[in-house]
Amino acid sequence: MNFSILTNNIDMFLEGFKVTLMASVIALIASLLLGAFIAVLRIAPNKLLNWLGTIYVEFIRNIPLLIIMLFVYLVFNFKGLTAGTIALTIYTTAFIAEAIRAGILSISKGQMEAARSSGLTYGQAMRLIILPQAIKVVIPPLGNQFINLVKNSSLVAVIAGGDLMYQADLISARTLVVMDTYILVAMFYLLLTIPLSLGVGYLEKRLAKSN
Amino acid sequence: MIVFDQVNKFYGNFQVLRNINLTINKGEVVVVIGPSGSGKSTLLRCINHLESITDGVLTVNGISVSDKKTNINKLRREIGMVFQHFHLYPHKTVLQNIILAPMKVLGQTEAQAKETALTYLEKVGISEKAYSYPSQLSGGQQQRVAIARGLAMSPEIMLFDEPTSALDPEMIGEVLDVMKALANEGMTMVVVTHEMGFAREVADRIVFMDQGQILEEATPAEFYENPKEVRAQLFLSRILNH
């Protein structure tokens, strides 16, 4: 393994790492909030809302992320990184919505009935009783989605987003050291995903204890 | 206080409630009995609109439960409900379970709500468990917490949906004792149960249902000594002589 690739191009690797980290964190937070919203749409006692939620999920999760990315990039004429982060958010939201919906449905119907029969509104019951319980169930599948999100962010390279993958493409094209460059890039991705995995595992254990 | 007037309910083509006419007065304890699938629980769940009726009129305190203009959340403040499977909130302590609705629905302060909660916990005999989680309690204790949770809203009516059916036999007594005490204080209660001893001792009136109909309405003495309906006689002979 040729480590001079790393030392000679450390600035580019770090820049790519920073960009990938930023795109992932922004898309993660945004898709978590939007995902919770879409999940509630799909479950709310209103046919129109259910229908809107279902259309979003089925449409978005059944087309390739790369196409969504190109679409946002070309149609709205955003910069690569901006378009990429938006596309990642749109795409990941669909999967997170499904994970959260499954979590909500796993909570016994009696919880909602007990809450409603004490006079709480649907919204209060959802917020105070159902979602806090659902979040525990949802953490492992959310962890999977977050890891996928970080890895999917490598597609941003295709629209010149300046991320890790993009930098690696530049370095390998310039130096013609292909294998080692991509091995190094894989290491940088692991630097992001392994702590994420461990963090999710830790959270899972801690929440399990509180029950 | 609760009036069913020609109430029918269908699930698709299946009729769960047939021509129900029933009046429950303030301070009365009405026990609803009957075989499984007879519509007892559905009848009870219509009172606080966990189930909606298909036609007829059902009023609580003169307010129509099925009317779209009725503020159902407001009506439900007056109606406490205890479920077969308790349905305590597992992520909250006993005390948090009890103070939640008084704070969020009635707008009480935490201090007020806690004070009330502790009074009711003492009343149901488990004040020492105030800071435990439901999973750390036995079934009987959980059900007593559920009763305290209902009472903390100071309701005018308490509904009990087979409150002892999910309990170990040893735990049934402690829950029935709490319910008896409540009945003696004059609470209006509608109780769906298979506990014949409780029904006989505490009920002001027994309502016997089968196949979605009320077949017989009588005082416990009349009903147990001399049931008029053949179906009621059969039901009683099966459950009393086993």
Side-chain angles (χ1 to χ4, degrees), chain B residues 110-183:
Chain B
E110 187 166 347
Q112 265 179 314
K114 268 189 180 166
E115 199 185 318
T116 324
L118 290 170
T119 320
Y120 283 114
L121 274 179
E122 200 159 320
K123 192 167 166 178
V124 299
I126 33 175
S127 21
E128 77 281 5
K129 297 287 186 192
Y131 297 95
S132 304
Y133 282 91
S135 58
Q136 298 166 312
L137 270 55
S138 72
Q141 289 172 328
Q142 290 191 48
Q143 194 59 299
R144 285 185 284 150
V145 172
I147 295 174
R149 180 173 69 175
L151 291 175
M153 290 290 287
S154 316
E156 294 185 40
I157 301 163
M158 284 289 284
L159 307 177
F160 293 85
D161 189 4
E162 303 204 28
T164 56
S165 298
L167 296 178
D168 286 345
E170 282 182 289
M171 313 268 174
I172 292 175
E174 64 192 56
V175 171
L176 292 181
D177 286 343
V178 170
M179 291 169 63
K180 278 177 205 166
L182 202 56

Side-chain angles (χ1 to χ4, degrees), chain A residues 111 113 115-116 128 133 211, chain B residues 45 73 76 88-91:
Chain A
Q111 291 289 311
E113 288 185 349
R116 292 306 306 275
L128 300 167
Q133 295 183 60
N211 216 347
Chain B
R45 290 162 57 88
N73 294 324
R76 280 172 174 157
L88 295 179
Y89 312 132
H91 60 305

Side-chain angles (χ1 to χ4, degrees), chain A residues 108-111 113-122 124 128-129 132-133 136 210-211, chain B residues 45 48 50 73 76 79 81 83 87-92 100-101 104-105 133 135 149 153:
Chain A
S108 126
K109 235 178 97 204
Q111 291 289 311
E113 288 185 349
R116 292 306 306 275
S117 68
S118 72
L120 294 178
T121 63
Y122 179 82
Q124 285 177 317
L128 300 167
I129 306 301
Q133 295 183 60
K136 292 181 196 179
S210 78
N211 216 347
Chain B
R45 290 162 57 88
N48 67 351
L50 284 182
N73 294 324
R76 280 172 174 157
I79 311 173
M81 179 137 187
F83 299 86
H87 298 326
L88 295 179
Y89 312 132
H91 60 305
K92 295 190 176 291
L100 185 100
K104 299 289 174 184
V105 178
Y133 282 91
S135 58
R149 180 173 69 175
M153 290 290 287

Side-chain angles (χ1 to χ4, degrees), chain B:
Chain B
M1 185 164 246
I2 304 170
V3 182
F4 286 80
D5 184 11
Q6 284 297 110
V7 168
N8 286 290
K9 177 172 177 60
F10 291 84
Y11 286 127
N13 286 327
F14 180 70
Q15 190 165 8
V16 217
L17 296 178
R18 293 167 196 267
N19 298 325
I20 301 288
N21 289 299
L22 178 67
T23 302
I24 295 161
N25 300 311
K26 194 171 169 60
E28 217 180 359
V29 177
V30 172
V31 171
V32 185
I33 62 174
S36 306
S38 59
K40 318 179 288 284
S41 286
T42 307
L43 177 90
L44 193 76
R45 290 162 57 88
C46 284
I47 297 174
N48 67 351
H49 203 57
L50 284 182
E51 304 282 350
S52 52
I53 61 175
T54 310
D55 58 58
V57 181
L58 166 57
T59 59
V60 175
N61 279 338
I63 299 164
S64 167
V65 175
S66 54
D67 191 333
K68 283 215 164 64
K69 278 176 255 161
T70 299
N71 181 344
I72 193 65
N73 294 324
K74 204 170 166 199
L75 191 66
R76 280 172 174 157
R77 294 178 193 176
E78 306 298 337
I79 311 173
M81 179 137 187
V82 174
F83 299 86
Q84 180 177 358
H85 296 286
F86 333 129
H87 298 326
L88 295 179
Y89 312 132
H91 60 305
K92 295 190 176 291
T93 64
V94 164
L95 196 63
Q96 288 168 341
N97 261 277
I98 301 175
I99 65 176
L100 185 100
M103 285 174 64
K104 299 289 174 184
V105 178
L106 301 181
Q108 292 182 6
T109 64
E110 187 166 347
Q112 265 179 314
K114 268 189 180 166
E115 199 185 318
T116 324
L118 290 170
T119 320
Y120 283 114
L121 274 179
E122 200 159 320
K123 192 167 166 178
V124 299
I126 33 175
S127 21
E128 77 281 5
K129 297 287 186 192
Y131 297 95
S132 304
Y133 282 91
S135 58
Q136 298 166 312
L137 270 55
S138 72
Q141 289 172 328
Q142 290 191 48
Q143 194 59 299
R144 285 185 284 150
V145 172
I147 295 174
R149 180 173 69 175
L151 291 175
M153 290 290 287
S154 316
E156 294 185 40
I157 301 163
M158 284 289 284
L159 307 177
F160 293 85
D161 189 4
E162 303 204 28
T164 56
S165 298
L167 296 178
D168 286 345
E170 282 182 289
M171 313 268 174
I172 292 175
E174 64 192 56
V175 171
L176 292 181
D177 286 343
V178 170
M179 291 169 63
K180 278 177 205 166
L182 202 56
N184 289 335
E185 287 167 20
M187 175 64 79
T188 309
M189 293 164 62
V190 187
V191 185
V192 172
T193 186
H194 295 293
E195 295 299 326
M196 292 304 138
F198 173 83
R200 200 167 202 156
E201 188 184 339
V202 181
D204 294 308
R205 198 149 36 110
I206 305 272
V207 169
F208 177 77
M209 289 184 72
D210 188 31
Q211 296 182 359
Q213 280 178 302
I214 294 180
L215 290 185
E216 191 158 346
E217 246 187 278
T219 63
E222 284 168 357
F223 182 75
Y224 286 104
E225 302 309 324
N226 191 15
K228 292 185 193 69
E229 290 288 329
V230 178
R231 185 66 187 88
Q233 291 166 5
L234 186 67
F235 179 77
L236 283 177
S237 74
R238 279 186 187 152
I239 58 169
L240 294 178
N241 307 319
H242 63 69

Side-chain angles (χ1 to χ4, degrees), chain A residues 30-41:
Chain A
S31 57
L32 188 59
L33 295 175
L34 285 171
F37 175 71
I38 301 278
V40 172
L41 282 191

